Amino acid sequence: MLNQDLRGRRALVTGGASGIGLATVTMLAECNAKVAMNHLEDDPAGREQVARLTAEGVDVISAPGDVGDPNDAEAMAQRAITELGGLDYLVNNAGMSGTEMPIPPSNLDMIDEELWQTLLTTNLISVFRISKAAAPALKEANGAIVNTASTAGIGLQGSSTPYAASKSGVVSVTRSLARGLAPSVRVNAVAPGQVETRWTAGWPEKHKQAALDKSLIKRHVQPEDVAQVIIFLLIGASMITGQTIVIDGGMTVS
């Protein structure tokens, strides 16, 4: 738990039912913020996690909705802001790889139009659409946004070419939003390396070991590692905006 008291602050975290999103929701709530956890309507994990956290005595509400659907995404954001009574922090974390295993860049036949459309809509366009919907409330609160990019968005390959392209777009959109929402709202991004979550659990061991071998810290990134940086950028970085912070244990500099 971070040594911060965010009592009275309100946050919306997309893709909050697992991994980085859940770690971020948990840390914000444990710091006494009121948090809206976005999750897919038909994902039981979302409501289960909200119920678990509520039972632990923190203030978390459910914010179901599909960020990949323009109408559903905007309606979800507006409902969450209304229920929270305003918005101080937005974490655009929802995203997907679209594939169970990494697709080598040489295997063009495994990449189709549907994969491109799904990843760009969910991983990239949603960052803009949710930020746009939340902008009036965030401006009123002089708030902050943090977007989840990836080291795949700053030159590495990631799980596929469309995934890398979508995360490169997140880095670019972060800079544009920082310009567009200044000076009242700061906008930054985090670029995690390979994070140890259920999404990467089934990846080939040689793929995971290759990332570990390049890491200077010699351990896999955990969701909590990323959540700590997200919260720092939300509450403790008053002169940082338009930046993307890499969280990979030194993998990209080794």
Side-chain angles (χ1 to χ4, degrees):
M1 180 174 174
L2 298 174
N3 186 25
Q4 297 286 340
D5 189 351
L6 302 180
R7 202 176 311 274
R9 304 295 178 90
R10 302 143 303 179
L12 168 60
V13 180
T14 68
S18 64
I20 294 169
L22 180 58
T24 303
V25 168
T26 301
M27 286 188 185
L28 285 168
E30 288 179 346
C31 291
N32 299 315
K34 183 175 183 178
V35 187
M37 178 197 289
N38 163 252
H39 56 87
L40 291 172
E41 179 73 53
D42 60 356
D43 180 9
R47 299 190 189 280
E48 289 169 3
Q49 293 294 349
V50 169
R52 177 184 65 81
L53 289 166
T54 300
E56 292 176 2
V58 296
D59 199 351
V60 177
I61 63 172
S62 176
D66 183 357
V67 299
D69 181 305
N71 296 324
D72 197 21
E74 183 174 356
M76 178 277 296
Q78 296 300 341
R79 286 195 308 270
I81 292 167
T82 298
E83 289 187 46
L84 291 170
L87 193 66
D88 299 279
Y89 309 130
L90 170 62
V91 181
N92 285 307
N93 171 73
M96 61 189 304
S97 66
T99 176
E100 292 184 1
M101 295 290 176
I103 300 175
S106 58
N107 197 336
L108 304 186
D109 291 339
M110 287 188 69
I111 300 171
D112 56 20
E113 290 291 326
E114 183 179 0
L115 182 61
W116 271 105
Q117 294 297 329
T118 299
L119 293 188
L120 290 177
T121 298
T122 302
N123 295 358
L124 175 57
I125 300 174
S126 70
V127 170
F128 179 81
R129 66 169 58 110
I130 300 295
S131 298
K132 180 181 178 181
L138 288 168
K139 286 181 178 179
E140 183 177 345
N142 290 312
I145 299 173
V146 177
N147 304 318
T148 301
S150 168
T151 51
I154 57 169
L156 299 188
Q157 180 61 26
S159 58
S160 70
T161 296
Y163 180 83
S166 72
K167 293 302 185 177
S168 295
V170 172
V171 173
S172 178
V173 166
T174 295
R175 290 195 294 264
S176 293
L177 287 171
R179 297 183 187 107
L181 297 177
S184 55
V185 180
R186 294 180 302 103
V187 187
N188 292 291
V190 292
Q194 190 180 109
V195 182
E196 201 166 55
T197 69
R198 62 188 176 97
W199 301 114
T200 59
W203 284 20
E205 284 304 316
K206 66 177 182 179
H207 190 93
K208 291 187 282 187
Q209 186 62 45
L212 192 61
D213 290 342
K214 292 180 181 178
S215 170
L216 299 180
I217 297 179
K218 299 305 177 188
R219 69 172 176 84
H220 291 296
V221 181
Q222 300 298 314
E224 292 75 17
D225 297 322
V226 184
Q228 287 175 357
V229 180
I230 289 173
I231 294 173
F232 165 71
L233 290 170
L234 290 175
I235 69 175
S238 61
M239 284 299 288
I240 300 178
T241 193
Q243 304 302 309
T244 298
I245 308 300
V246 176
I247 310 162
D248 68 350
M251 183 179 70
T252 51
V253 298
S254 60

